Amino acid sequence: MTMRIFIFTFGLILLPLLEGQAETKPNIIVVLVDDMGYSDTGAYGGEVRTPNIDRLARGGLRFTQAYNSARCCPSRASLLTGLYSHQAGIANFTGPDRTAAKGPAYLGRLNKKCITLGEVLRSAGYSTYCVGKWHVGHQESPVLRGFEEFYGYIRGHSTDQWTSSNYTRLPAGRKPEIKYKPGAFYATDAFSDYALEFIRQGQKRKKPFFLYLAHSSPHFPLQAPAATRDSYLEIYRRGWDVLRKERYERQEKSGLVTPSWKFTKRSAVPVDRADIANQFPGKQNPPWSSLPAKRREDLSYRMATFAAMLDHVDQGIGRILDHLEKSGDLDNTLILFTSDNGACYEWGPFGFDGRSRRGKTTLHQGDKLKGIGGPGTHHSVGSAWSCLSNTPLRMYKHFNHEGGNCNQLVAHWPKGIRKPNRWVRSPIHLIDIMPTICAVAGAEYPEKFKGRKITPVEGASMKAVFDGGESLPARTLYFDHFGSSAIRQGDWKLVRGNSRYNKAAWELYNIAEDRCETNNRIHSLPEKARVLKKLWTQWAARMKIQQ
């Protein structure tokens, strides 16, 4: 009897302690933007007004070599699963099942051998929410892959931001469903509205929450409120050449740029049909001063709209930070901010209008300029402005050069990050987000889930850097997207481009000495290239990549 009393009394003492430990699990928010360049936020040198992202950067960690999978859907697959996108079923793009012809890497949607962050964290006792762009296969919707609540769109890489009927709430019929007055709906802002609603829901449940906020901005179609767009016009009328130099100067001042960096020339326009590439296929993007005044004005409106889209993302992040601060949850919320790839070149220096490759480039003049970014419009920013966005890195989205597969990553967690406000120069990848979140949440990445065997995680945890470490253990990272391939081992990177009309040649760079890939060593170090190519080929076979 005495022993029973002791056990009962000990349990009463221990229970609050265990509950206290459970309460220390951090809330987790992952904010992913779409087609943002390496230097677009203020924290990485940009002139776009991003005070809230910059606040996260000052109070946390800023990674200088954060790699992705070079395009929207494969990057999302890697982030959500901790696997290379090929292992998750999305080697190149979402769409028809091509496994019969090409193999399991080309399923076109998340497969059943992977597990998502939503599934892992829900199993670990988290409330799980998803907002925005899904783009890992509409057959595998968020609520089927671990998320309790969703608002956004599931099909396609983009959709009109002014049309509320393009967006859906899941599970079907779930409340609340936020209502907007006619003309008041704008998707980027609506995503922030729902993110806040879901955060409030999670806080009421008295358990940690996970929010995956996947913005479609600033991906085309370029669309934003005219007032925000117009506030940037005078900045972008100065042109990409002046602004690239100013961004680089700010990067030097911030400590991002070290002696291994170099201010690069404007990247080449990828080889393509001459009309699609705006008559610049294979040529360097033109100097701003070489263009007629009417063309410059059209381009100024395009980039101003792009900046406005990112501005509204930042405004939404500000609303989230204010709420978390007022509710007392900011200190124990891990917030990760990154992009799915570098800025988008599609398809030449003047951009396009209409549906991607089917849309020709229009020169907007007079009153038509004021319609850019409005309801029913569909514009892209073009390759020359994307050189500005990626300053000083080379090339763009679709490519596994640094301008395509490297972006900024900010990590903010006052309670869990020691030695904040610093640059972290270790190479990391989106595949590292899964093991990092598992580590901080005390969640288990399973061998089996719902009776299915799960592919072992490929990434590595970044928690050692959160704990104050300066670097992470060296490992080899691999890349492939539509034939643009790369391997990063130690200081060395072997990479080849993405060309629609010819097989691109391999290039070799020492990233420690040549951060911006300006000195190709392929001819002087053929043996180093051969060794790296062999490793990449072995990995490609393991990933079941069709070459």
Side-chain angles (χ1 to χ4, degrees):
M1 187 70 180
T2 305
M3 180 61 70
R4 289 182 180 177
I5 294 173
F6 171 77
I7 292 172
F8 177 75
T9 305
F10 183 74
L12 291 177
I13 296 171
L14 183 62
L15 183 60
L17 296 175
L18 292 174
E19 289 177 344
Q21 287 179 356
E23 289 173 359
T24 64
K25 281 189 174 185
N27 303 308
I28 300 167
I29 300 175
V30 174
V31 183
L32 182 71
V33 291
D34 200 332
D35 287 6
M36 182 190 75
Y38 188 83
S39 64
D40 277 326
T41 68
Y44 283 71
E47 66 288 320
V48 183
R49 295 186 294 271
T50 55
N52 299 296
I53 297 168
D54 300 348
R55 173 189 174 185
L56 294 175
R58 288 192 303 273
L61 304 175
R62 304 180 298 275
F63 291 79
T64 68
Q65 298 183 64
Y67 288 104
N68 52 59
S69 301
R71 199 171 190 164
C72 315
C73 45
S75 286
R76 280 166 170 72
S78 291
L79 185 155
L80 283 168
T81 68
L83 304 174
Y84 287 111
S85 65
H86 317 75
Q87 296 169 298
I90 306 178
N92 289 334
F93 211 68
T94 55
D97 181 349
R98 293 188 171 89
T99 55
K102 293 188 174 184
Y106 301 86
L107 177 63
R109 64 180 185 273
L110 292 183
N111 61 34
K112 298 297 187 181
K113 295 181 179 180
C114 66
I115 188 168
T116 71
L117 283 166
E119 290 168 322
V120 169
L121 290 175
R122 192 171 181 178
S123 299
Y126 275 71
S127 299
T128 56
Y129 307 103
C130 181
V131 177
K133 172 178 173 177
W134 183 236
H135 204 205
V136 284
H138 65 273
Q139 304 90 338
E140 296 287 333
S141 80
V143 295
L144 294 177
R145 296 308 297 252
F147 292 96
E148 298 170 72
E149 310 278 351
F150 171 76
Y151 177 80
Y153 67 104
I154 297 173
R155 287 180 177 267
H157 56 68
S158 59
T159 190
D160 190 287
Q161 294 223 25
W162 299 106
T163 306
S164 60
S165 59
N166 291 348
Y167 303 87
T168 189
R169 179 82 163 84
L170 294 176
R174 188 64 63 94
K175 302 295 181 181
E177 187 167 352
I178 302 171
K179 302 295 183 182
Y180 296 90
K181 295 179 180 179
F185 180 86
Y186 175 58
T188 297
D189 293 342
F191 291 167
S192 296
D193 293 340
Y194 272 94
L196 279 165
E197 172 58 36
F198 291 158
I199 288 171
R200 293 187 184 103
Q201 286 187 27
Q203 290 171 321
K204 288 178 181 177
R205 298 180 71 178
K206 303 299 182 182
K207 58 194 290 191
F209 65 80
F210 168 55
L211 169 67
Y212 172 44
L213 174 53
H215 277 287
S216 54
S217 286
H219 190 289
F220 62 79
L222 300 175
Q223 295 178 330
T228 314
R229 175 202 67 193
D230 291 351
S231 69
Y232 284 98
L233 283 172
E234 287 305 316
I235 293 173
Y236 293 109
R237 283 170 176 151
R238 300 173 64 220
W240 48 66
D241 292 314
V242 170
L243 295 173
R244 284 185 79 234
K245 291 179 180 178
E246 290 180 354
R247 285 196 183 193
Y248 193 72
E249 289 169 359
R250 286 191 290 269
Q251 290 172 331
E252 289 180 312
K253 187 176 181 180
S254 72
L256 168 60
V257 165
T258 66
S260 66
W261 297 62
K262 182 178 180 179
F263 183 68
T264 53
K265 63 182 181 180
R266 294 181 300 276
S267 294
V269 179
V271 173
D272 210 322
R273 273 180 17 212
D275 59 332
I276 290 175
N278 304 152
Q279 309 304 320
F280 282 86
K283 301 177 183 177
Q284 188 183 8
N285 280 289
W288 178 258
S289 60
S290 70
L291 303 178
K294 291 179 180 179
R295 176 64 69 186
R296 294 199 302 267
E297 188 69 353
D298 173 277
L299 287 163
S300 297
Y301 269 82
R302 291 172 188 261
M303 189 60 189
T305 308
F306 176 96
M309 296 173 81
L310 186 55
D311 190 314
H312 278 261
V313 168
D314 186 82
Q315 291 177 38
I317 290 173
R319 291 162 55 200
I320 290 170
L321 294 180
D322 287 346
H323 173 77
L324 291 173
E325 195 164 40
K326 290 175 183 177
S327 61
D329 279 333
L330 182 60
D331 281 356
N332 198 31
T333 300
L334 168 62
I335 302 175
L336 300 174
F337 172 84
T338 190
S339 179
D340 58 0
N341 44 249
C344 178
Y345 77 89
E346 299 176 32
W347 294 102
F350 308 147
F352 67 82
D353 303 282
R355 296 295 301 172
S356 194
R357 291 177 69 84
R358 297 190 296 273
K360 303 302 180 182
T361 304
T362 302
L363 177 60
H364 299 82
Q365 302 180 56
D367 291 340
K368 290 185 177 180
L369 284 167
K370 298 178 181 179
I372 289 179
T377 61
H378 199 292
H379 313 289
S380 79
V381 72
S383 57
W385 281 128
S386 291
C387 288
L388 169 68
S389 288
N390 289 335
T391 303
L393 306 181
R394 290 181 53 232
M395 302 306 288
Y396 330 82
K397 169 186 175 179
H398 296 221
F399 288 78
N400 275 305
H401 291 79
E402 296 289 289
N405 74 350
C406 191
N407 217 294
Q408 52 186 264
L409 170 67
V410 170
H412 183 273
W413 182 18
K415 191 173 180 179
I417 290 179
R418 299 179 183 177
K419 297 169 61 177
N421 193 20
R422 59 189 169 102
W423 297 104
V424 178
R425 301 188 184 276
S426 285
I428 59 103
H429 192 287
L430 287 178
I431 60 175
D432 299 334
I433 288 181
M434 169 69 85
T436 300
I437 287 178
C438 285
V440 304
E444 180 185 358
Y445 184 92
E447 294 182 4
K448 289 185 176 181
F449 183 72
K450 294 183 178 180
R452 305 188 308 267
K453 187 176 180 180
I454 300 300
T455 304
V457 70
E458 287 277 341
S461 173
M462 297 180 279
K463 192 172 182 301
V465 175
F466 291 2
D467 292 340
E470 295 296 327
S471 61
L472 296 170
R475 40 58 190 272
T476 304
L477 296 172
Y478 300 90
F479 310 86
D480 184 78
H481 180 64
F482 278 116
S484 180
S485 313
I487 175 174
R488 175 73 194 272
Q489 185 180 60
D491 295 338
W492 292 96
K493 181 178 179 181
L494 185 72
V495 59
R496 61 182 176 189
N498 177 346
S499 172
R500 292 180 177 271
Y501 296 117
N502 56 73
K503 189 82 169 181
W506 288 100
E507 304 163 29
L508 178 66
Y509 301 99
N510 185 311
I511 299 299
E513 300 174 355
D514 180 21
R515 179 68 182 87
C516 302
E517 299 174 314
T518 60
N519 181 22
N520 183 6
R521 307 283 293 279
I522 194 72
H523 297 300
S524 61
L525 295 170
E527 181 59 22
K528 168 61 73 173
R530 188 192 67 79
V531 170
L532 292 175
K533 183 180 178 182
K534 181 178 180 180
L535 288 173
W536 181 88
T537 302
Q538 292 170 347
W539 170 82
R542 182 166 71 89
M543 294 295 113
K544 297 179 172 57
I545 294 171
Q546 188 179 78
Q547 300 183 58

